[in-house]
Amino acid sequence: MMNRSLIVANWKMHLNVQQASLYVHHFNKVLNYHRSVEVVLAPTLLALQPLSLEVDRRKIHLAAQNAYDKDEGPYTGEVSFTMLSGLVDYAIIGHSERRIYFSESLELIRDKVTAAIRNGIKPILCIGESKPERTAGETKRVIHDQLMSAISNLTAEEVKNVTVAYEPVWAISTFGGENAEPNEIQKVIDYIRYQISELYGAKVSNDVRVLYGGSVDDDSVGGYLALDGCDGTLVGAASLDYQSFASIIDKAFLVYQSKKKD
Ligand code: PEP
């Protein structure tokens, strides 16, 4: 049984509460519902509460873009996974912008993944090498280190609830947005699954969803989704336009159907 595709909009620090509501209002009109494609919006934290009342949660799931690893306490300015539980189904963890701009360490990301799982929230764990690491031939080492450390506290059952988003830093629009060749991405997706299967076995590795993210739009997305073992995509800039995000979802449905036939 193939996993449902997972298509995630990461709005980053764009769209305020009002704009987010307006987006959902328009998006609902153009969004085609496909049972085989799961749609997730990750708005600003402030918009999660209002959007949770505005979206049909059978069709659209919500994700936090970040949260803190402690459940409660004197951590001024932070929001915990405990506070988000019931409000979101997913949380993006380890995004390269957080690793780079906010110096999030492997240990902190591991603790955030653990906290998300402890609170019943499914982590979307972002991993990926920088351009200098890629040039130095260190892609596999970086993927290994980021992946293995992040899931090291989890049982096999818990790992099944993790989605891994492979996002080469050099392909993300924030950091250059170079176009990645799908066959280069295929090798890394295979490696991610190999690593998980080495540690948790082939069944768990098959159950984990692996996404691609990096300047994907409705033109380029098909090439990535068609890859073996690619279960969806994490979309940044192109998700800010509800029409283009809805087209990406329709593409995902078409690719899902054609993969099912193979
Ligand atoms: C991202 O930051 O997760 C991302 C994929 O961004 P973009 O699509 O803008 O490259």
Side-chain angles (χ1 to χ4, degrees), residues 163-182:
T163 293
V164 179
Y166 172 49
E167 300 208 302
V169 176
W170 46 271
I172 293 180
S173 58
T174 318
F175 300 110
E178 272 179 58
N179 278 336
E181 280 300 320

Tab-separated table of all heavy atoms in Angstrom, residues 163-182:
chain	number	residue	atom	x	y	z
A	163	THR	N	7.955	12.313	9.328
A	163	THR	CA	8.120	12.526	7.886
A	163	THR	C	9.471	13.198	7.719
A	163	THR	O	9.791	14.151	8.444
A	163	THR	CB	7.007	13.464	7.349
A	163	THR	OG1	5.767	12.783	7.450
A	163	THR	CG2	7.253	13.858	5.911
A	164	VAL	N	10.261	12.686	6.776
A	164	VAL	CA	11.577	13.296	6.532
A	164	VAL	C	11.479	14.136	5.258
A	164	VAL	O	11.057	13.638	4.216
A	164	VAL	CB	12.670	12.213	6.357
A	164	VAL	CG1	14.025	12.872	6.087
A	164	VAL	CG2	12.736	11.305	7.577
A	165	ALA	N	11.821	15.413	5.364
A	165	ALA	CA	11.837	16.275	4.173
A	165	ALA	C	13.293	16.511	3.790
A	165	ALA	O	14.033	17.150	4.553
A	165	ALA	CB	11.136	17.594	4.459
A	166	TYR	N	13.676	15.981	2.624
A	166	TYR	CA	15.036	16.254	2.158
A	166	TYR	C	15.023	17.604	1.445
A	166	TYR	O	14.371	17.763	0.406
A	166	TYR	CB	15.527	15.147	1.218
A	166	TYR	CG	16.852	15.509	0.578
A	166	TYR	CD1	17.915	15.984	1.352
A	166	TYR	CD2	17.046	15.405	-0.797
A	166	TYR	CE1	19.117	16.355	0.782
A	166	TYR	CE2	18.251	15.758	-1.380
A	166	TYR	CZ	19.277	16.242	-0.586
A	166	TYR	OH	20.469	16.609	-1.158
A	167	GLU	N	15.730	18.562	2.036
A	167	GLU	CA	15.782	19.907	1.483
A	167	GLU	C	17.236	20.352	1.385
A	167	GLU	O	17.789	20.899	2.363
A	167	GLU	CB	15.025	20.882	2.392
A	167	GLU	CG	13.559	20.549	2.567
A	167	GLU	CD	12.748	21.795	2.860
A	167	GLU	OE1	13.028	22.481	3.846
A	167	GLU	OE2	11.853	22.091	2.073
A	168	PRO	N	17.863	20.104	0.227
A	168	PRO	CA	19.242	20.590	0.092
A	168	PRO	C	19.236	22.108	0.277
A	168	PRO	O	18.433	22.802	-0.351
A	168	PRO	CB	19.630	20.204	-1.338
A	168	PRO	CG	18.433	19.634	-1.999
A	168	PRO	CD	17.323	19.515	-1.009
A	169	VAL	N	20.110	22.592	1.146
A	169	VAL	CA	20.080	24.021	1.485
A	169	VAL	C	20.257	24.877	0.228
A	169	VAL	O	19.580	25.893	0.044
A	169	VAL	CB	21.173	24.333	2.540
A	169	VAL	CG1	21.246	25.821	2.841
A	169	VAL	CG2	20.919	23.545	3.827
A	170	TRP	N	21.124	24.438	-0.681
A	170	TRP	CA	21.424	25.206	-1.893
A	170	TRP	C	20.218	25.279	-2.854
A	170	TRP	O	20.199	26.087	-3.769
A	170	TRP	CB	22.637	24.601	-2.618
A	170	TRP	CG	22.587	23.098	-2.740
A	170	TRP	CD1	23.067	22.199	-1.830
A	170	TRP	CD2	21.995	22.328	-3.798
A	170	TRP	NE1	22.818	20.909	-2.258
A	170	TRP	CE2	22.167	20.974	-3.463
A	170	TRP	CE3	21.348	22.657	-4.991
A	170	TRP	CZ2	21.707	19.929	-4.280
A	170	TRP	CZ3	20.899	21.625	-5.810
A	170	TRP	CH2	21.080	20.279	-5.449
A	171	ALA	N	19.228	24.438	-2.654
A	171	ALA	CA	18.058	24.444	-3.545
A	171	ALA	C	16.903	25.272	-2.985
A	171	ALA	O	15.943	25.569	-3.695
A	171	ALA	CB	17.592	23.012	-3.791
A	172	ILE	N	16.991	25.640	-1.713
A	172	ILE	CA	15.917	26.420	-1.098
A	172	ILE	C	16.020	27.875	-1.560
A	172	ILE	O	17.126	28.425	-1.633
A	172	ILE	CB	16.008	26.305	0.443
A	172	ILE	CG1	15.687	24.857	0.826
A	172	ILE	CG2	15.072	27.269	1.139
A	172	ILE	CD1	15.743	24.591	2.294
A	173	SER	N	14.890	28.479	-1.858
A	173	SER	CA	14.917	29.829	-2.455
A	173	SER	C	15.676	30.825	-1.575
A	173	SER	O	16.395	31.687	-2.080
A	173	SER	CB	13.499	30.321	-2.738
A	173	SER	OG	12.725	30.329	-1.562
A	174	THR	N	15.569	30.686	-0.261
A	174	THR	CA	16.258	31.582	0.674
A	174	THR	C	17.773	31.578	0.464
A	174	THR	O	18.451	32.570	0.688
A	174	THR	CB	16.000	31.102	2.128
A	174	THR	OG1	14.651	30.729	2.243
A	174	THR	CG2	16.377	32.125	3.157
A	175	PHE	N	18.313	30.414	0.098
A	175	PHE	CA	19.781	30.254	0.074
A	175	PHE	C	20.317	30.046	-1.350
A	175	PHE	O	21.343	29.408	-1.533
A	175	PHE	CB	20.185	29.075	0.963
A	175	PHE	CG	19.761	29.242	2.409
A	175	PHE	CD1	18.760	28.448	2.945
A	175	PHE	CD2	20.352	30.210	3.220
A	175	PHE	CE1	18.358	28.595	4.266
A	175	PHE	CE2	19.953	30.368	4.543
A	175	PHE	CZ	18.950	29.559	5.072
A	176	GLY	N	19.612	30.545	-2.343
A	176	GLY	CA	20.153	30.449	-3.700
A	176	GLY	C	19.173	29.838	-4.686
A	176	GLY	O	19.105	30.239	-5.839
A	177	GLY	N	18.414	28.862	-4.238
A	177	GLY	CA	17.362	28.285	-5.070
A	177	GLY	C	17.836	27.668	-6.370
A	177	GLY	O	17.203	27.801	-7.410
A	178	GLU	N	18.991	26.957	-6.326
A	178	GLU	CA	19.448	26.258	-7.539
A	178	GLU	C	18.510	25.107	-7.843
A	178	GLU	O	18.027	24.449	-6.915
A	178	GLU	CB	20.830	25.651	-7.280
A	178	GLU	CG	21.966	26.575	-7.574
A	178	GLU	CD	23.297	25.897	-7.270
A	178	GLU	OE1	23.574	24.827	-7.853
A	178	GLU	OE2	24.032	26.431	-6.434
A	179	ASN	N	18.309	24.843	-9.138
A	179	ASN	CA	17.458	23.707	-9.476
A	179	ASN	C	18.187	22.403	-9.243
A	179	ASN	O	19.287	22.214	-9.743
A	179	ASN	CB	17.032	23.776	-10.950
A	179	ASN	CG	15.861	24.705	-11.111
A	179	ASN	OD1	15.112	24.938	-10.152
A	179	ASN	ND2	15.718	25.261	-12.299
A	180	ALA	N	17.573	21.520	-8.494
A	180	ALA	CA	18.203	20.223	-8.246
A	180	ALA	C	17.763	19.248	-9.328
A	180	ALA	O	16.608	19.251	-9.746
A	180	ALA	CB	17.774	19.713	-6.879
A	181	GLU	N	18.701	18.438	-9.772
A	181	GLU	CA	18.381	17.398	-10.759
A	181	GLU	C	17.654	16.259	-10.053
A	181	GLU	O	18.177	15.712	-9.067
A	181	GLU	CB	19.680	16.817	-11.341
A	181	GLU	CG	20.317	17.639	-12.417
A	181	GLU	CD	19.389	17.816	-13.601
A	181	GLU	OE1	18.687	16.848	-13.970
A	181	GLU	OE2	19.353	18.940	-14.133
A	182	PRO	N	16.477	15.853	-10.545
A	182	PRO	CA	15.765	14.764	-9.869
A	182	PRO	C	16.625	13.514	-9.643
A	182	PRO	O	16.522	12.884	-8.588
A	182	PRO	CB	14.587	14.485	-10.801
A	182	PRO	CG	14.299	15.825	-11.419
A	182	PRO	CD	15.647	16.466	-11.602
